[in-house]
Amino acid sequence: DTGVSQNPRHKITKRGQNVTFRCDPISEHNRLYWYRQTLGQGPEFLTYFQNEAQLEKSRLLSDRFSAERPKGSFSTLEIQRTEQGDSAMYLCASSSLDTIYFGEGSWLTVV
Amino acid sequence: AQSVTQLDSQVPVFEEAPVELRCNYSSSVSVYLFWYVQYPNQGLQLLLKYLSGSTLVKGINGFEAEFNKSQTSFHLRKPSVHISDTAEYFCAVSDFDSGAGSYQLTFGKGTKLSVIP
């Protein structure tokens, strides 16, 4: 069990640029989640995959956000035309049943 | 809809003293309850969880929590804290979405525990 791996850990980008984050879940976990955490807040749910199917999306996930999980293994979260309000930590998590395990997170700073 | 209230945003405590971090939740269905810890610039680490059974659950690093259904609470306790316990602690509630087959977590805003030497 190597844990949930995320990269890059930190990304600074200019407003209007696109960014992509990658998540490698725990190998036997078929459920994968993305959460977003801003300063002073708890994480908020963004989207959920079971295997390769994206089954749930939060209203927080605007049209500029897209997530994929090809082949049901790793996942990517892309943010297009970044805005300063997108600055946050993006957390990936995975689970097999009832317990969700989180990665170290990817910090995004939009300048 | 579920919600989680962590009543204290910051808790300072002296080293080797006991600590209680409070968490109340609201939900219309049976829930599962979790405590996670977050060290600076890191992700979330699971401390403990309540799914069913005994209402007193023990976790890692000497922490324990008690589920109280009548008071809708799930307070976290440790009898003697260490400097290394300085971190932010998040309470979370989850139910099972049978349609999507997922457990989604709803988090509180967190409690920052500062252990004073």
Side-chain angles (χ1 to χ4, degrees), chain B residues 14-96:
Chain B
F14 285 103
E15 192 174 15
E16 297 184 4
V19 69
E20 179 180 82
L21 306 183
R22 296 180 293 170
C23 172
N24 287 88
Y25 69 93
S26 67
S27 175
S28 58
V29 298
S30 296
V31 296
Y32 305 105
L33 293 156
F34 304 82
W35 276 98
Y36 286 84
V37 60
Q38 186 174 39
Y39 298 100
N41 299 317
Q42 293 188 25
L44 300 170
Q45 181 182 5
L46 179 67
L47 269 180
L48 49 77
K49 61 185 178 183
Y50 171 79
L51 304 179
S52 65
S54 173
T55 57
L56 181 65
V57 290
K58 294 188 183 297
I60 62 171
N61 302 339
F63 284 93
E64 63 181 33
E66 185 156 19
F67 170 58
N68 188 318
K69 188 174 182 179
S70 63
Q71 297 186 2
T72 60
S73 68
F74 190 55
H75 300 330
L76 181 70
R77 302 184 182 101
K78 186 170 182 178
S80 175
V81 296
H82 301 130
I83 295 290
S84 59
D85 293 323
T86 295
E88 191 158 19
Y89 293 79
F90 291 93
C91 181
V93 63
S94 166
D95 64 4
F96 180 67

Side-chain angles (χ1 to χ4, degrees), chain A residues 31 35 37 48 56 99-100, chain B residues 36 38 49 101-102 104-105:
Chain A
R31 295 178 171 90
Y35 284 76
Q37 185 179 18
Y48 158 71
E56 288 191 77
T99 302
I100 298 175
Chain B
Y36 286 84
Q38 186 174 39
K49 61 185 178 183
S102 70
Q104 286 185 30
L105 293 171

Side-chain angles (χ1 to χ4, degrees), chain A residues 34-57:
Chain A
W34 285 98
Y35 284 76
R36 181 172 69 186
Q37 185 179 18
T38 53
L39 286 176
Q41 301 294 321
E44 296 173 296
F45 170 77
L46 291 179
T47 190
Y48 158 71
F49 290 84
Q50 185 167 346
N51 300 311
E52 68 277 6
Q54 187 175 18
L55 297 183
E56 288 191 77
K57 292 168 65 173

Side-chain angles (χ1 to χ4, degrees), chain A residues 36 60-67 77-79 86 90:
Chain A
R36 181 172 69 186
L60 294 176
L61 211 66
S62 77
D63 292 344
R64 297 184 297 105
F65 288 69
S66 63
L77 177 67
E78 181 183 17
I79 309 173
D86 297 331
Y90 291 85

